[in-house]
């Protein structure tokens, strides 16, 4: 447990917390003082991603590439969310299985079983809805970056525009 990376004192947060883990891209997971879990990405995205540690592990097991789901537009209705989740997960499955060493579903099942979790076979209906609700509820976990006279405040973590690769994938699916 340590203080979150603050870029030489230029960043402050509206909710205190302690960093306890990191992802492979330089982002960090933060245990927030309100008992929830925040995420500070290396790209500047920040927000609450889970209500507690159990939900965090459920997210990471069932949706390990959760950053692909930071697109607000896909949550506008259940049909869009289901279509997007199924398309992205199908792509993960194909990519992972093409490596030829492990099977995507078997790995998820094995990790889930070992941790006493159930596998979420429809991530759009539970895992992603919990993720969206945590990320968008008030007060949102945010940061302020201040350097010289420039002040930049973070947006909601689920605020990316829909990129072309997602639009293309959804139109094909």
């Amino acid at each position: 447990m340590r203080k979150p990376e603050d870029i030489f004192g230029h960043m402050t947060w509206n909710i205190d917390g302690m960093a306890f883990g990191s992802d492979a891209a330089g982002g960090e997971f933060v245990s927030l003082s309100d008992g929830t879990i925040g995420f500070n990405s290396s790209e500047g995205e920040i927000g609450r991603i889970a209500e507690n540690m159990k939900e965090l592990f459920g997210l990471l097991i069932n949706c390990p590439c959760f950053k692909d789901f930071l697109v607000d537009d896909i949550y506008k209705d259940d049909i869009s969310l289901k279509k997007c989740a199924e398309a992205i997960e199908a792509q993960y499955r194909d990519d992972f299985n093409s490596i030829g060493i492990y099977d995507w579903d078997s790995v998820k099942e094995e990790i889930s079983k070992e941790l006493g979790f159930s596998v979420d076979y429809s991530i759009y209906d539970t895992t992603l809805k919990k993720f969206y609700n945590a990320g968008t509820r008030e007060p949102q976990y945010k940061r302020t970056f201040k350097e010289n006279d420039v002040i930049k405040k973070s947006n909601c973590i689920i605020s990316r525009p829909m990129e072309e690769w997602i639009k293309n994938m959804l139109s094909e699916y």
Side-chain angles (χ1 to χ4, degrees), residues 21-39:
S22 62
D23 69 3
E28 57 188 1
F29 297 94
V30 181
S31 177
L32 301 174
S33 61
D34 66 1
T36 63
I37 307 300
F39 182 73

Side-chain angles (χ1 to χ4, degrees), residues 10 144-152:
H10 294 287
T144 301
F145 179 85
K146 183 178 179 184
E147 185 174 34
N148 301 323
D149 292 334
V150 177
I151 297 174
K152 295 180 183 177

Side-chain angles (χ1 to χ4, degrees), residues 56-64 104 108 111-112 115 117 119:
L56 172 65
F57 283 109
L59 175 66
L60 296 177
I61 291 167
N62 291 299
C63 189
W104 170 268
K108 280 177 66 170
I111 293 170
S112 295
L115 293 174
F117 284 64
V119 176

Side-chain angles (χ1 to χ4, degrees), residues 37-97:
I37 307 300
F39 182 73
N40 301 337
S41 83
S42 59
E43 291 80 30
E45 294 159 322
I46 180 172
R48 182 184 292 104
I49 62 170
E51 293 296 330
N52 52 52
M53 289 298 278
K54 185 172 183 174
E55 280 189 19
L56 172 65
F57 283 109
L59 175 66
L60 296 177
I61 291 167
N62 291 299
C63 189
C65 300
F66 70 89
K67 289 186 245 176
D68 287 340
F69 294 94
L70 298 180
V71 180
D72 191 39
D73 287 342
I74 66 174
Y75 296 93
K76 66 184 174 196
D77 59 63
D78 287 350
I79 294 168
S80 298
L81 183 58
K82 179 179 180 180
K83 188 175 182 182
C84 186
E86 287 177 347
I88 291 175
E89 191 165 41
Q91 184 64 50
Y92 293 164
R93 187 176 285 107
D94 290 347
D95 290 349
F96 191 83
N97 292 350

